[in-house]
Amino acid sequence: MAIIPVAGVGTRLRPHTYTTPKVLLHVAGKPILAHILDDLPALGIREVVLIVGYMGDLVREYMDRHYRELRVHYVEQPERLGLGHAVSLAEPHAGDRPILIILGDTIFEADLRKVLSGSDHSIGVKEVEDPRRFGIVELDGTGKVVRLVEKPPHPTSNLAIAGVYYFTHGRPLFDALRDLTRRDIRTRGEFQLTDAMQMLVESGATLRTFPIDGWYDCGKTETLLETNRVLLDKRGCGAEVAGSVVRAPVVIADTAVIESCILGPHVSVAAGARLRNAVVRDSIINENAVIEDILLEGSVVGEQATVRGGFKRVSVGDSSEVRYP
Ligand code: UTP
């Protein structure tokens, strides 16, 4: 079973997360959550615990509409007390079963088949240049985790914890999480999953790591756009739209209406969006947005939002120069 915590507020993605939970924001043609869920059935995972909080009702509605084939349990995290706390709430559903934990804002590529057939708990890691922004793991010579630290000021390893974890059975993790909350061990005010895993290591448990090949952050507008570019380069395609010019890669929903535009590269247009007389590149246009008479790049336009420009009128004399920044 998979546990996906999605209770966070997504402050770094405001204003979009004022009205849409972060996991439902579109990137490369579908919501972040869909990128995660669509990979699960191929791994034989058909049961999911979603830890919901902020705008959880919208997440439920989305799941009811699109993922009826999955068995989904919802657990409310009433207070955002940290990732460790969020995961601990899944215990009644997960018990001692094998669990795959994936953070709700983490799109990744990894050979999970191999991980799920392994006999040790295992943490997805990626080498990074600046480990201070991440949780990190230190390994011994045999690849066993000997220490985990959340956002270390003086990192001793460049292996960042990427937000994907596998536990061969849930009980030891849930016991450690219970211990963490009982002893009120917080880092930066929150119950951290990293701290619970450190307690597991200290109690003698074996934790190993597995490589995350692609790691696509969706936490901020810039990284959401970067993820959009990278995923479209990998998976996107071209499109033919009569009366418009499309430069691949792009994803355009069937129900979007495009009229006299130049689109792409790296544009995602969601269902019901209407674009007219516009030049758009490197942008995410969400459902039912309206874009007219404008040049856009590096932009994220929310659902039902309207962005309207206009054509310039000039009377420019000979040898003059007019610039629009
Ligand atoms: P983040 O630390 O990115 O928090 O959580 P956030 O709220 O989503 O975003 P910011 O920092 O406010 O911009 C990583 C993942 O863990 C979940 C979040 O929903 C996100 O999927 N999470 C985090 C919880 O479910 N509960 C928590 O208490 C903390």
Side-chain angles (χ1 to χ4, degrees):
M1 95 154 18
I3 300 174
I4 308 179
V6 300
V9 176
T11 46
R12 289 166 300 152
L13 264 164
R14 285 176 179 164
H16 304 287
T17 46
Y18 279 128
T19 44
T20 306
K22 177 158 74 174
V23 286
L24 295 190
L25 294 178
H26 271 246
V27 62
K30 55 187 178 184
I32 298 168
L33 185 59
H35 285 274
I36 298 171
L37 294 172
D38 290 348
D39 287 341
L40 296 183
L43 296 166
I45 299 177
R46 292 194 171 73
E47 194 171 349
V48 175
V49 182
L50 281 178
I51 313 296
V52 293
Y54 181 69
M55 289 194 278
D57 47 339
L58 296 184
V59 177
R60 282 177 199 234
E61 265 172 40
Y62 175 79
M63 294 297 294
D64 288 346
R65 261 185 289 133
H66 298 275
Y67 286 94
R68 288 183 169 275
E69 74 281 8
L70 287 177
R71 183 159 181 226
V72 188
H73 309 276
Y74 299 93
V75 182
E76 182 84 20
Q77 186 187 24
E79 236 185 310
R80 197 188 178 290
L81 295 178
L83 191 55
H85 176 255
V87 171
S88 74
L89 301 174
E91 184 175 9
H93 297 287
D96 199 28
R97 295 157 69 184
I99 47 176
L100 179 68
I101 302 169
I102 306 174
L103 301 197
D105 57 354
T106 305
I107 302 177
F108 65 96
E109 279 158 10
D111 184 0
L112 283 186
R113 264 172 217 285
K114 205 166 138 199
V115 176
L116 300 188
S117 60
S119 51
D120 287 315
H121 310 310
S122 198
I123 306 168
V125 294
K126 175 94 182 149
E127 280 187 20
V128 293
E129 272 175 25
D130 182 6
R132 287 172 302 182
R133 296 191 292 126
F134 305 93
I136 57 132
V137 296
E138 281 174 33
L139 307 181
D140 69 8
T142 68
K144 261 176 69 169
V145 176
V146 288
R147 205 160 86 95
L148 303 100
V149 197
E150 195 52 46
K151 300 193 179 74
H154 306 291
T156 45
S157 142
N158 64 349
L159 287 180
I161 300 172
V164 188
Y165 315 78
Y166 176 64
F167 289 86
T168 54
H169 47 291
R171 181 71 56 221
L173 175 69
F174 290 122
D175 286 348
L177 286 168
R178 199 171 309 108
D179 214 18
L180 189 82
T181 33
R182 193 177 46 79
R183 289 161 56 191
D184 199 26
I185 299 173
R186 301 176 193 231
T187 301
R188 271 180 298 280
E190 295 191 354
F191 295 111
Q192 306 280 356
L193 186 57
T194 308
D195 291 338
M197 291 189 298
Q198 172 64 21
M199 286 162 68
L200 268 180
V201 169
E202 282 166 17
S203 70
T206 298
L207 268 73
R208 296 191 181 275
T209 59
F210 63 92
I212 297 287
D213 305 318
W215 186 18
Y216 311 118
D217 181 37
C218 297
K220 298 184 285 182
T221 308
E222 308 86 75
T223 55
L224 193 68
L225 284 169
E226 191 185 328
T227 296
N228 188 55
R229 284 194 295 275
V230 177
L231 293 183
L232 286 180
D233 277 336
K234 279 173 172 282
R235 311 170 190 174
C237 46
E240 291 221 351
V241 180
S244 291
V245 175
V246 177
R247 296 167 62 204
V250 296
V251 181
I252 302 173
D254 292 343
T255 53
V257 180
I258 315 284
E259 205 185 310
S260 307
C261 289
I262 301 178
L263 288 194
H266 304 124
V267 175
S268 295
V269 182
R274 282 180 290 136
L275 285 73
R276 201 168 146 265
N277 288 335
V279 178
V280 184
R281 57 186 175 231
D282 184 25
S283 294
I284 299 171
I285 312 298
N286 281 289
E287 282 182 21
N288 302 315
V290 176
I291 311 290
E292 274 183 12
D293 304 330
I294 196 158
L295 310 181
L296 282 187
E297 74 176 343
S299 303
V300 178
V301 180
E303 287 180 22
Q304 338 277 350
T306 298
V307 182
R308 227 176 238 130
F311 288 86
K312 301 283 185 287
R313 181 189 287 256
V314 292
S315 175
V316 183
D318 297 348
S319 307
S320 312
E321 182 179 297
V322 177
R323 274 178 203 235
Y324 296 105

